[in-house]
C-alpha cells in the first residue's frame, strides 16, 4: 500500500507540473517558430519580427504558466493572482522565469483560496464584487513585491544551478544515460510529468541562451517506440502482429507514444529495446549538437521537424533513425530468442502492475476473477436516463485518451445515441457533473478520489477496449426501454431539468461580466436561503465561466439561451430583474 500511495503521489505531482505546461504548448510552439524563422541565423532573418522573441520568452510564456497554475487551484481569480505573483519573479530575476511561474502560480492561487474560505461567507450583501476585486489586488500586490525581493532571486539562483548541472551532464557526455530513467518512466505514465514538468522548463532556458535544446528530444523522440512496433509487425504473433502496423502510424505520425506501451508490457524485456533505442538516439543527437526550439507535443515526427532550427535537420533525423534501428534490432532479438510466448495485449496491464508494485505479490490480490470484476462493475453502472456526460481521463487529458473519446463518439453516433456528451480531460480537471469516467486501469483509483460519485470504467488500452461496445449496448438498450413514444411526450418538456431539493447543491447567477446586478441577486438569494435554513451554495459568475457542477443557473431572460448552450444539464431560471424577482421566493419554497 505504501508503494501504491507513493506512486500515486508522484503521478499527481507530475500531473500538476505538466498541467501548467500542456495547455500552453501552442504558445511555446508559436514562440519556437518565430525564433526559428526570424532570428539572425534563422530561416528568414527579420529584425522587426525577431523583436517578438524576448518579450514572449520573458513575459508571455511565464505569465501564461503562472495564470494556468493559479487557475488550476482556484478558478479565474486564482489565475489572475497567479499571473500577478509571476510578474514579481519575472522582475526579480534576469532569466526567463518558467520555474518561478510554476511555483508562484499555484502558490498564489492556493493562498487566495484559503483567504476566500475564511472571509467570503462573511461579506455583507452588495459588497461581493468589492471583496472579489480587492482581495485579488491586495494579496497580488503583496505577493508580487515579495517575489521581486525574495522569491525571484532565490528561484533565479536555483535555475542557474539546474542549468549548470544539465550543462555539465551534457559536456561530460552522460546525457544519453538519462534514458535509463526516462524510458521506464514513460511506461509508468510519467512521460508528461518528465517531459513538460522537468525537461521543458530547463530546455526553454537553453533555447534562450543558444537558440535550441536537446532536452526537448529526450522523451519526445519517437524512434524507440517505432522500432519496437516495427519488430512486432514483422516478427510478432497474433493480435500484436496484426495491430502493430496501425499502431506504428499513430505513434510516429500522430505522436501518441502511449500506444506502444502495451507492446512493451506484453514482453517486459522489451524495455531493454526502448532504453537501447533512447540511449543511441540521444548519443547521435549529441554528436550532431542539435536540438529543437520548443517542446514537441505531441511527440510526432511532424511536430519535431516543424520545430527543428535551421541547420539541424540532418542530426535530428539521424537521431530518430538510429533510435528506430537500434530498438528494432534489440526488439527483434528479444522476439526471436524468447522462449516465452509472453502475454497478449489484453493481459499486458497485469504485468504493468507487477512492474509498478501497485498490488501485493499475493496471486489473489493480483488476479481478480472475472466474476468479481463483473459484480463490481454492475454495482456502479448507470442507466441511460442518468448519463449525460462521459469523460475520458488521463494525466494530461490528451494523447490516447483523446483518441478513445473520439472512438466512443463514433460508436455512439452509429448507435443513434446523440444526447450524451463525450470528451477527454486531465485527471485533475474531471468535471463534477461527469456521470461516467473512463480511465486506464492504473489511474482509476486517482479518478475515484477526484469524483467518487461517478461510475468508473477501467480499460487496458484506450484504443482497443471491448468495454466500449458493452457501454454502447447498455445505454442503447436502456434508452429503448425507457424512451416514450412521440405521442406521449409531455407538453411541459421545458420543465424536465427542474431539480428536486436533493439534487441542488450549487446555484449560479450568471451575466456577461459576472458582476454588478447578478452579484446583488446572488446576495439576495443567499439571505433568503439563510433565513429559510437552506444549505445551498450561491455565487455569481460570468456566463462563460459557469462551473460544470452548477445545478441551477439564474440569468436575465435575454441571456438564458446562452447559459443553456454553456451548461445544458442544469436547471435554468430566467428573470426580468436580478434585484426583484418572485422566482426567488418560489425557489425557496421548493427547496425548503
Amino acid at each position: 500500500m505504501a508503494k501504491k500511495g507513493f506512486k500515486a503521489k508522484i503521478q499527481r505531482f507530475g500531473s500538476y507540473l505538466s498541467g501548467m505546461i500542456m495547455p500552453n504548448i501552442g504558445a511555446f510552439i508559436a514562440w519556437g517558430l518565430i525564433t526559428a524563422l526570424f532570428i539572425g541565423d534563422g530561416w528568414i532573418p527579420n529584425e522587426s519580427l525577431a523583436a517578438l522573441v524576448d518579450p514572449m520568452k520573458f513575459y508571455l510564456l511565464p505569465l501564461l504558466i503562472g495564470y494556468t497554475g493559479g487557475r488550476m487551484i482556484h478558478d479565474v481569480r486564482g489565475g489572475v493572482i497567479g499571473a500577478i505573483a509571476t510578474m514579481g519573479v519575472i522582475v526579480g530575476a534576469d532569466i526567463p522565469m518558467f520555474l518561478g511561474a510554476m511555483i508562484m502560480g499555484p502558490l498564489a492561487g492556493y493562498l487566495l483560496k484559503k483567504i476566500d474560505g475564511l472571509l467570503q461567507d462573511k461579506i455583507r450583501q452588495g459588497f461581493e464584487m468589492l471583496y472579489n476585486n480587492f482581495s485579488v489586488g491586495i494579496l497580488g500586490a503583496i505577493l508580487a513585491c515579495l517575489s521581486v525581493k525574495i522569491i525571484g532571486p532565490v528561484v533565479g539562483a536555483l535555475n542557474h544551478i539546474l542549468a549548470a548541472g544539465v550543462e555539465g551532464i551534457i559536456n561530460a557526455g552522460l546525457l544519453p544515460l538519462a534514458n535509463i530513467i526516462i524510458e521506464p518512466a514513460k511506461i509508468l505514465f510519467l512521460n508528461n510529468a518528465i517531459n513538460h514538468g522537468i525537461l521543458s522548463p530547463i530546455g526553454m532556458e537553453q533555447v534562450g541562451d543558444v537558440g535550441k535544446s536537446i532536452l526537448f528530444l529526450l522523451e519526445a523522440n519517437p524512434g524507440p517506440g517505432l522500432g519496437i512496433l516495427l519488430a512486432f509487425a514483422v516478427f510478432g504473433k497474433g493480435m500484436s502482429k496484426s495491430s502493430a502496423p496501425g499502431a506504428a502510424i499513430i505513434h510516429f505520425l500522430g505522436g501518441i507514444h502511449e500506444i506502444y506501451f502495451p507492446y512493451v508490457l506484453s514482453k517486459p524485456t522489451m524495455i531493454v529495446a526502448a532504453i537501447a533505442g533512447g540511449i543511441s538516439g540521444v548519443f547521435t543527437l549529441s554528436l550532431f549538437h542539435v536540438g529543437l526550439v520548443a517542446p514537441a507535443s505531441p511527440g510526432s515526427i511532424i511536430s519535431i521537424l516543424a520545430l527543428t532550427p535551421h541547420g539541424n535537420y540532418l542530426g535530428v533525423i539521424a537521431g530518430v533513425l538510429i533510435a528506430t534501428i537500434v530498438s528494432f534490432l534489440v526488439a527483434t532479438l528479444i522476439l526471436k530468442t524468447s522462449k516465452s510466448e509472453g502475454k497478449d495485449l489484453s493481459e499486458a496491464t497485469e504485468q504493468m502492475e507487477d512492474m509498478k508494485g501497485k498490488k501485493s505479490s499475493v496471486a489473489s490480490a493480483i488476479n481478480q476473477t472475472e466474476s468479481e470484476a463483473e459484480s463490481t462493475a454492475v454495482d456502479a453502472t448507470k442507466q441511460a436516463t442518468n448519463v449525460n456526460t462521459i469523460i475520458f481521463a488521463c494525466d494530461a487529458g490528451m494523447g490516447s485518451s483523446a483518441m478513445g473519446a473520439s472512438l466512443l463518439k463514433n460508436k455512439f453516433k452509429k448507435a443513434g445515441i446523440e444526447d450524451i456528451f463525450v470528451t477527454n480531460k486531465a485527471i485533475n480537471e474531471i468535471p463534477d457533473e461527469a456521470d461516467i469516467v473512463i480511465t486506464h486501469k492504473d489511474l482509476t483509483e486517482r479518478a475515484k478520489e477526484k469524483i467518487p460519485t461517478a461510475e468508473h470504467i477501467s480499460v487496458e488500452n484506450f484504443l482497443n477496449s471491448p468495454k466500449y461496445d458493452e457501454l454502447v449496448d447498455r445505454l442503447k438498450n436502456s434508452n429503448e426501454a425507457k424512451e416514450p413514444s412521440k405521442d406521449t411526450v409531455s407538453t411541459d418538456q421545458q420543465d424536465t431539468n427542474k431539480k428536486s431539493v436533493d439534487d441542488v447543491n450549487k446555484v449560479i447567477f450568471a451575466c456577461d461580466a459576472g458582476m454588478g446586478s447578478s452579484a446583488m441577486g446572488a446576495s439576495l438569494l443567499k439571505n433568503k436561503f439563510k433565513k429559510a435554513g437552506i444549505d445551498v451554495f450561491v455565487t455569481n459568475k460570468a456566463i462563460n465561466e459557469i462551473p460544470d457542477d452548477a445545478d441551477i443557473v439564474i440569468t436575465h431572460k435575454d441571456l438564458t439561451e446562452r447559459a443553456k448552450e454553456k451548461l445544458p444539464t442544469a436547471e435554468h431560471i430566467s428573470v426580468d430583474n436580478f434585484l426583484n424577482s418572485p422566482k426567488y421566493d418560489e425557489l425557496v419554497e421548493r427547496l425548503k
Side-chain angles (χ1 to χ4, degrees), residues 523-560:
S523 181
L524 287 170
L525 189 61
K526 277 183 190 176
N527 288 335
K528 289 180 180 289
F529 277 1
K530 185 175 182 180
K531 291 177 182 178
I534 299 172
D535 184 19
V536 173
F537 179 74
V538 182
T539 191
N540 53 293
K541 293 283 184 182
I543 202 163
N544 291 324
E545 302 294 339
I546 298 173
D548 293 332
D549 58 345
D551 302 301
I552 296 177
V553 179
I554 300 176
T555 50
H556 187 275
K557 61 183 181 180
D558 296 329
L559 298 176
T560 302

Side-chain angles (χ1 to χ4, degrees), residues 248-306:
I249 293 172
I250 293 171
H251 166 75
F252 191 60
L253 298 180
I256 311 301
H257 289 204
E258 289 91 340
I259 199 169
Y260 81 86
F261 296 173
Y263 294 85
V264 174
L265 297 169
S266 67
K267 279 187 175 295
T269 49
M270 281 291 170
I271 195 64
V272 176
I275 292 172
I279 290 175
S280 59
V282 174
F283 180 73
T284 304
L285 295 167
S286 299
L287 285 179
F288 281 91
H289 300 288
V290 296
L292 301 183
V293 295
S297 182
S300 160
I301 190 63
I302 297 172
S303 58
I304 286 173
L305 293 178

Side-chain angles (χ1 to χ4, degrees), residues 374-381:
E374 288 175 1
S375 64
T376 301
V378 168
D379 290 340
T381 56

Side-chain angles (χ1 to χ4, degrees), residues 465-509:
S465 176
K467 294 187 178 181
Y468 298 160
D469 292 324
E470 295 171 9
L471 181 61
V472 169
D473 290 338
R474 189 222 310 173
L475 298 181
K476 184 178 179 181
N477 293 336
S478 179
N479 261 333
E480 291 173 351
K482 294 182 176 292
E483 185 176 0
S485 67
K486 292 182 180 179
D487 294 335
T488 60
V489 174
S490 169
T491 57
D492 295 329
Q493 198 168 11
Q494 66 272 19
D495 294 330
T496 54
N497 276 349
K498 183 172 284 189
K499 307 282 186 179
S500 67
V501 61
D502 295 330
D503 296 327
V504 178
N505 296 297
K506 182 176 287 189
V507 177
I508 300 295
F509 279 70

